[in-house]
Coordinates of all heavy atoms in Angstrom, one line a residue:
G15 N -66.9 -28.9 5.9 CA -66.6 -30.2 6.5 C -65.5 -30.1 7.5 O -65.5 -29.3 8.4
S16 N -64.4 -30.9 7.3 CA -63.3 -30.9 8.3 C -62.2 -29.9 7.9 O -61.2 -30.0 8.6 CB -62.8 -32.3 8.4 OG -62.2 -32.7 7.2
E27 N -51.6 -4.9 -14.1 CA -51.5 -4.8 -15.6 C -50.4 -5.8 -16.1 O -49.5 -6.2 -15.3 CB -51.2 -3.4 -16.0 CG -49.9 -2.9 -15.5 CD -49.6 -1.5 -15.8 OE1 -50.3 -0.6 -15.2 OE2 -48.8 -1.2 -16.7
L34 N -41.9 -21.6 -17.9 CA -42.3 -22.3 -16.7 C -41.5 -23.5 -16.4 O -40.8 -24.0 -17.3 CB -43.8 -22.8 -17.0 CG -44.7 -21.7 -17.5 CD1 -46.0 -22.2 -18.0 CD2 -44.9 -20.6 -16.5
L35 N -41.5 -24.0 -15.2 CA -40.6 -25.1 -14.7 C -41.2 -26.5 -14.9 O -40.4 -27.4 -15.0 CB -40.3 -24.8 -13.3 CG -39.3 -25.8 -12.6 CD1 -38.0 -25.7 -13.4 CD2 -39.1 -25.3 -11.2
A49 N -37.5 -28.6 -5.2 CA -37.4 -28.8 -3.7 C -38.9 -28.9 -3.2 O -39.5 -27.9 -3.0 CB -36.7 -27.7 -3.0
T51 N -41.9 -31.6 -1.2 CA -42.2 -32.8 -0.4 C -43.2 -33.7 -1.3 O -43.8 -33.2 -2.2 CB -42.9 -32.5 0.9 OG1 -44.2 -31.9 0.6 CG2 -42.0 -31.5 1.7
E54 N -46.6 -32.3 -1.2 CA -46.8 -31.1 -2.1 C -46.9 -31.6 -3.6 O -47.7 -31.1 -4.3 CB -45.6 -30.1 -1.9 CG -45.7 -29.4 -0.6 CD -44.4 -28.9 -0.1 OE1 -43.3 -29.2 -0.6 OE2 -44.4 -28.1 0.9
N56 N -48.0 -34.6 -4.5 CA -49.4 -35.2 -4.6 C -50.5 -34.1 -4.8 O -51.4 -34.3 -5.6 CB -49.7 -36.1 -3.4 CG -48.8 -37.4 -3.5 OD1 -48.3 -37.8 -4.5 ND2 -48.7 -38.0 -2.3
Q67 N -59.7 -32.4 -15.7 CA -61.1 -33.0 -15.7 C -62.2 -32.0 -16.0 O -63.2 -32.3 -16.5 CB -61.4 -33.6 -14.4 CG -60.6 -34.9 -14.1 CD -60.7 -35.3 -12.6 OE1 -61.2 -34.6 -11.7 NE2 -60.1 -36.4 -12.3
G116 N -53.1 -15.2 -7.1 CA -54.2 -15.7 -6.2 C -53.7 -16.6 -5.2 O -52.5 -17.2 -5.3
S123 N -57.4 -32.3 8.5 CA -56.6 -33.5 9.1 C -56.0 -34.4 8.1 O -55.1 -35.2 8.5 CB -57.6 -34.3 10.0 OG -58.7 -34.7 9.2
L125 N -54.7 -34.6 3.7 CA -54.5 -33.8 2.5 C -55.7 -34.1 1.5 O -56.1 -33.1 0.8 CB -53.2 -34.3 1.8 CG -52.0 -33.9 2.5 CD1 -50.7 -34.6 1.8 CD2 -51.8 -32.4 2.5
A130 N -60.4 -31.9 -1.4 CA -61.9 -32.1 -1.7 C -62.6 -30.8 -1.2 O -63.5 -30.3 -2.0 CB -62.4 -33.3 -1.0
L132 N -61.4 -27.7 -1.0 CA -61.1 -26.7 -1.9 C -61.9 -26.8 -3.2 O -62.4 -25.8 -3.8 CB -59.6 -26.7 -2.2 CG -58.7 -26.2 -1.0 CD1 -57.2 -26.6 -1.3 CD2 -58.8 -24.7 -0.8
H138 N -62.7 -21.0 -4.0 CA -61.5 -21.8 -4.1 C -61.5 -22.6 -5.5 O -60.5 -22.6 -6.2 CB -61.3 -22.8 -3.0 CG -61.3 -22.1 -1.7 ND1 -62.4 -21.9 -0.9 CD2 -60.2 -21.5 -1.0 CE1 -62.1 -21.2 0.2 NE2 -60.7 -20.9 0.1
F147 N -54.5 -18.2 -14.6 CA -53.4 -18.7 -13.9 C -52.6 -19.8 -14.7 O -53.2 -20.7 -15.3 CB -53.8 -19.3 -12.5 CG -54.4 -18.4 -11.5 CD1 -55.5 -18.7 -10.8 CD2 -53.7 -17.1 -11.3 CE1 -56.0 -17.8 -9.9 CE2 -54.2 -16.2 -10.4 CZ -55.4 -16.5 -9.7
I168 N -50.2 -17.8 -10.1 CA -49.7 -16.6 -10.8 C -50.1 -16.8 -12.3 O -50.1 -18.0 -12.8 CB -48.3 -16.4 -10.6 CG1 -47.9 -15.0 -11.0 CG2 -47.4 -17.4 -11.2 CD1 -46.5 -14.5 -10.5

Side-chain angles (χ1 to χ4, degrees):
S16 63
E27 66 185 70
L34 313 169
L35 182 59
T51 68
E54 291 158 346
N56 290 339
Q67 291 165 354
S123 58
L125 293 171
L132 289 166
H138 301 94
F147 293 135
I168 194 166

